[in-house]
mmCIF file of all heavy atoms in Angstrom:
data_model
loop_
_atom_site.group_PDB
_atom_site.id
_atom_site.type_symbol
_atom_site.label_atom_id
_atom_site.label_comp_id
_atom_site.label_asym_id
_atom_site.label_seq_id
_atom_site.Cartn_x
_atom_site.Cartn_y
_atom_site.Cartn_z
ATOM 1 N N ARG X 1309 -65.441 -26.438 -80.592
ATOM 2 C CA ARG X 1309 -65.769 -27.035 -79.306
ATOM 3 C C ARG X 1309 -64.540 -27.077 -78.400
ATOM 4 O O ARG X 1309 -63.410 -27.247 -78.852
ATOM 5 C CB ARG X 1309 -66.335 -28.444 -79.504
ATOM 6 C CG ARG X 1309 -67.711 -28.465 -80.149
ATOM 7 C CD ARG X 1309 -68.822 -28.083 -79.163
ATOM 8 N NE ARG X 1309 -69.043 -29.123 -78.193
ATOM 9 C CZ ARG X 1309 -69.977 -30.074 -78.294
ATOM 10 N NH1 ARG X 1309 -70.766 -30.107 -79.345
ATOM 11 N NH2 ARG X 1309 -70.121 -30.985 -77.366
ATOM 12 N N THR X 1310 -64.782 -26.959 -77.117
ATOM 13 C CA THR X 1310 -63.682 -26.911 -76.148
ATOM 14 C C THR X 1310 -62.896 -28.215 -76.077
ATOM 15 O O THR X 1310 -61.786 -28.234 -75.555
ATOM 16 C CB THR X 1310 -64.199 -26.568 -74.746
ATOM 17 O OG1 THR X 1310 -65.137 -27.586 -74.332
ATOM 18 C CG2 THR X 1310 -64.885 -25.215 -74.737
ATOM 19 N N GLU X 1311 -63.460 -29.295 -76.603
ATOM 20 C CA GLU X 1311 -62.746 -30.571 -76.615
ATOM 21 C C GLU X 1311 -61.623 -30.611 -77.656
ATOM 22 O O GLU X 1311 -60.827 -31.549 -77.685
ATOM 23 C CB GLU X 1311 -63.718 -31.717 -76.882
ATOM 24 C CG GLU X 1311 -64.745 -31.954 -75.780
ATOM 25 C CD GLU X 1311 -65.979 -31.101 -75.910
ATOM 26 O OE1 GLU X 1311 -66.007 -30.204 -76.804
ATOM 27 O OE2 GLU X 1311 -66.924 -31.287 -75.130
ATOM 28 N N ALA X 1312 -61.541 -29.585 -78.506
ATOM 29 C CA ALA X 1312 -60.539 -29.573 -79.577
ATOM 30 C C ALA X 1312 -59.129 -29.535 -78.999
ATOM 31 O O ALA X 1312 -58.881 -28.969 -77.933
ATOM 32 C CB ALA X 1312 -60.765 -28.362 -80.491
ATOM 33 N N VAL X 1313 -58.189 -30.103 -79.742
ATOM 34 C CA VAL X 1313 -56.806 -30.203 -79.275
ATOM 35 C C VAL X 1313 -56.185 -28.830 -79.054
ATOM 36 O O VAL X 1313 -55.320 -28.659 -78.189
ATOM 37 C CB VAL X 1313 -55.969 -31.040 -80.273
ATOM 38 C CG1 VAL X 1313 -55.858 -30.334 -81.619
ATOM 39 C CG2 VAL X 1313 -54.582 -31.322 -79.704
ATOM 40 N N GLU X 1314 -56.627 -27.820 -79.814
ATOM 41 C CA GLU X 1314 -56.068 -26.481 -79.641
ATOM 42 C C GLU X 1314 -56.255 -25.971 -78.220
ATOM 43 O O GLU X 1314 -55.352 -25.341 -77.645
ATOM 44 C CB GLU X 1314 -56.732 -25.499 -80.624
ATOM 45 C CG GLU X 1314 -56.355 -25.695 -82.067
ATOM 46 C CD GLU X 1314 -57.233 -26.708 -82.788
ATOM 47 O OE1 GLU X 1314 -57.974 -27.466 -82.118
ATOM 48 O OE2 GLU X 1314 -57.177 -26.741 -84.028
ATOM 49 N N PHE X 1315 -57.417 -26.255 -77.632
ATOM 50 C CA PHE X 1315 -57.673 -25.761 -76.281
ATOM 51 C C PHE X 1315 -56.931 -26.590 -75.231
ATOM 52 O O PHE X 1315 -56.509 -26.058 -74.200
ATOM 53 C CB PHE X 1315 -59.168 -25.733 -76.002
ATOM 54 C CG PHE X 1315 -59.916 -24.775 -76.889
ATOM 55 C CD1 PHE X 1315 -61.023 -25.188 -77.615
ATOM 56 C CD2 PHE X 1315 -59.505 -23.458 -77.008
ATOM 57 C CE1 PHE X 1315 -61.703 -24.303 -78.437
ATOM 58 C CE2 PHE X 1315 -60.181 -22.565 -77.830
ATOM 59 C CZ PHE X 1315 -61.288 -22.987 -78.542
ATOM 60 N N ASN X 1316 -56.790 -27.870 -75.476
ATOM 61 C CA ASN X 1316 -55.999 -28.681 -74.544
ATOM 62 C C ASN X 1316 -54.550 -28.211 -74.511
ATOM 63 O O ASN X 1316 -53.878 -28.305 -73.479
ATOM 64 C CB ASN X 1316 -56.053 -30.158 -74.938
ATOM 65 C CG ASN X 1316 -57.340 -30.817 -74.477
ATOM 66 O OD1 ASN X 1316 -57.886 -30.455 -73.440
ATOM 67 N ND2 ASN X 1316 -57.825 -31.772 -75.244
ATOM 68 N N THR X 1317 -54.051 -27.715 -75.634
ATOM 69 C CA THR X 1317 -52.684 -27.204 -75.690
ATOM 70 C C THR X 1317 -52.561 -25.861 -74.976
ATOM 71 O O THR X 1317 -51.585 -25.616 -74.267
ATOM 72 C CB THR X 1317 -52.240 -27.050 -77.155
ATOM 73 O OG1 THR X 1317 -52.292 -28.325 -77.795
ATOM 74 C CG2 THR X 1317 -50.828 -26.497 -77.251
ATOM 75 N N LEU X 1318 -53.561 -24.997 -75.153
ATOM 76 C CA LEU X 1318 -53.472 -23.631 -74.628
ATOM 77 C C LEU X 1318 -53.883 -23.513 -73.162
ATOM 78 O O LEU X 1318 -53.286 -22.730 -72.408
ATOM 79 C CB LEU X 1318 -54.359 -22.700 -75.461
ATOM 80 C CG LEU X 1318 -53.864 -22.365 -76.858
ATOM 81 C CD1 LEU X 1318 -54.961 -21.698 -77.670
ATOM 82 C CD2 LEU X 1318 -52.644 -21.447 -76.774
ATOM 83 N N MET X 1319 -54.910 -24.254 -72.763
ATOM 84 C CA MET X 1319 -55.496 -24.048 -71.448
ATOM 85 C C MET X 1319 -54.880 -24.986 -70.414
ATOM 86 O O MET X 1319 -54.591 -26.150 -70.695
ATOM 87 C CB MET X 1319 -57.015 -24.255 -71.496
ATOM 88 C CG MET X 1319 -57.741 -23.413 -72.549
ATOM 89 S SD MET X 1319 -57.443 -21.637 -72.433
ATOM 90 C CE MET X 1319 -58.210 -21.268 -70.842
ATOM 91 N N GLN X 1320 -54.710 -24.475 -69.195
ATOM 92 C CA GLN X 1320 -54.178 -25.280 -68.109
ATOM 93 C C GLN X 1320 -55.177 -26.355 -67.690
ATOM 94 O O GLN X 1320 -56.343 -26.355 -68.088
ATOM 95 C CB GLN X 1320 -53.833 -24.386 -66.928
ATOM 96 C CG GLN X 1320 -52.696 -23.408 -67.205
ATOM 97 C CD GLN X 1320 -52.369 -22.556 -65.994
ATOM 98 O OE1 GLN X 1320 -53.250 -22.058 -65.310
ATOM 99 N NE2 GLN X 1320 -51.081 -22.384 -65.728
ATOM 100 N N SER X 1321 -54.713 -27.273 -66.855
ATOM 101 C CA SER X 1321 -55.569 -28.383 -66.441
ATOM 102 C C SER X 1321 -56.801 -27.896 -65.680
ATOM 103 O O SER X 1321 -57.865 -28.503 -65.766
ATOM 104 C CB SER X 1321 -54.774 -29.374 -65.585
ATOM 105 O OG SER X 1321 -54.228 -28.721 -64.449
ATOM 106 N N VAL X 1322 -56.656 -26.815 -64.926
ATOM 107 C CA VAL X 1322 -57.804 -26.193 -64.259
ATOM 108 C C VAL X 1322 -58.219 -24.982 -65.084
ATOM 109 O O VAL X 1322 -57.552 -23.945 -65.072
ATOM 110 C CB VAL X 1322 -57.471 -25.782 -62.814
ATOM 111 C CG1 VAL X 1322 -58.684 -25.102 -62.174
ATOM 112 C CG2 VAL X 1322 -57.047 -26.991 -61.992
ATOM 113 N N ALA X 1323 -59.285 -25.138 -65.838
ATOM 114 C CA ALA X 1323 -59.777 -24.070 -66.703
ATOM 115 C C ALA X 1323 -61.299 -24.097 -66.684
ATOM 116 O O ALA X 1323 -61.923 -25.130 -66.412
ATOM 117 C CB ALA X 1323 -59.263 -24.249 -68.130
ATOM 118 N N PHE X 1324 -61.892 -22.950 -66.987
ATOM 119 C CA PHE X 1324 -63.338 -22.806 -66.892
ATOM 120 C C PHE X 1324 -63.916 -22.267 -68.196
ATOM 121 O O PHE X 1324 -63.266 -21.501 -68.917
ATOM 122 C CB PHE X 1324 -63.705 -21.867 -65.745
ATOM 123 C CG PHE X 1324 -63.262 -22.375 -64.396
ATOM 124 C CD1 PHE X 1324 -62.029 -22.013 -63.889
ATOM 125 C CD2 PHE X 1324 -64.060 -23.240 -63.670
ATOM 126 C CE1 PHE X 1324 -61.596 -22.493 -62.662
ATOM 127 C CE2 PHE X 1324 -63.639 -23.723 -62.440
ATOM 128 C CZ PHE X 1324 -62.404 -23.352 -61.937
ATOM 129 N N ALA X 1325 -65.138 -22.691 -68.472
ATOM 130 C CA ALA X 1325 -65.912 -22.174 -69.592
ATOM 131 C C ALA X 1325 -67.065 -21.355 -69.037
ATOM 132 O O ALA X 1325 -67.739 -21.789 -68.093
ATOM 133 C CB ALA X 1325 -66.439 -23.311 -70.458
ATOM 134 N N VAL X 1326 -67.280 -20.178 -69.612
ATOM 135 C CA VAL X 1326 -68.408 -19.321 -69.230
ATOM 136 C C VAL X 1326 -69.302 -19.199 -70.451
ATOM 137 O O VAL X 1326 -68.965 -18.513 -71.426
ATOM 138 C CB VAL X 1326 -67.946 -17.937 -68.761
ATOM 139 C CG1 VAL X 1326 -69.155 -17.123 -68.284
ATOM 140 C CG2 VAL X 1326 -66.909 -18.048 -67.653
ATOM 141 N N LEU X 1327 -70.430 -19.892 -70.430
ATOM 142 C CA LEU X 1327 -71.336 -19.904 -71.574
ATOM 143 C C LEU X 1327 -72.113 -18.594 -71.647
ATOM 144 O O LEU X 1327 -72.514 -18.033 -70.632
ATOM 145 C CB LEU X 1327 -72.304 -21.082 -71.483
ATOM 146 C CG LEU X 1327 -71.784 -22.432 -71.980
ATOM 147 C CD1 LEU X 1327 -70.661 -22.949 -71.096
ATOM 148 C CD2 LEU X 1327 -72.909 -23.454 -72.057
#
Side-chain angles (χ1 to χ4, degrees):
R1309 291 283 289 265
T1310 60
E1311 294 86 353
V1313 65
E1314 289 87 346
F1315 296 128
N1316 280 327
T1317 300
L1318 288 168
M1319 306 305 295
Q1320 294 181 317
S1321 58
V1322 178
F1324 298 92
V1326 184
L1327 277 66

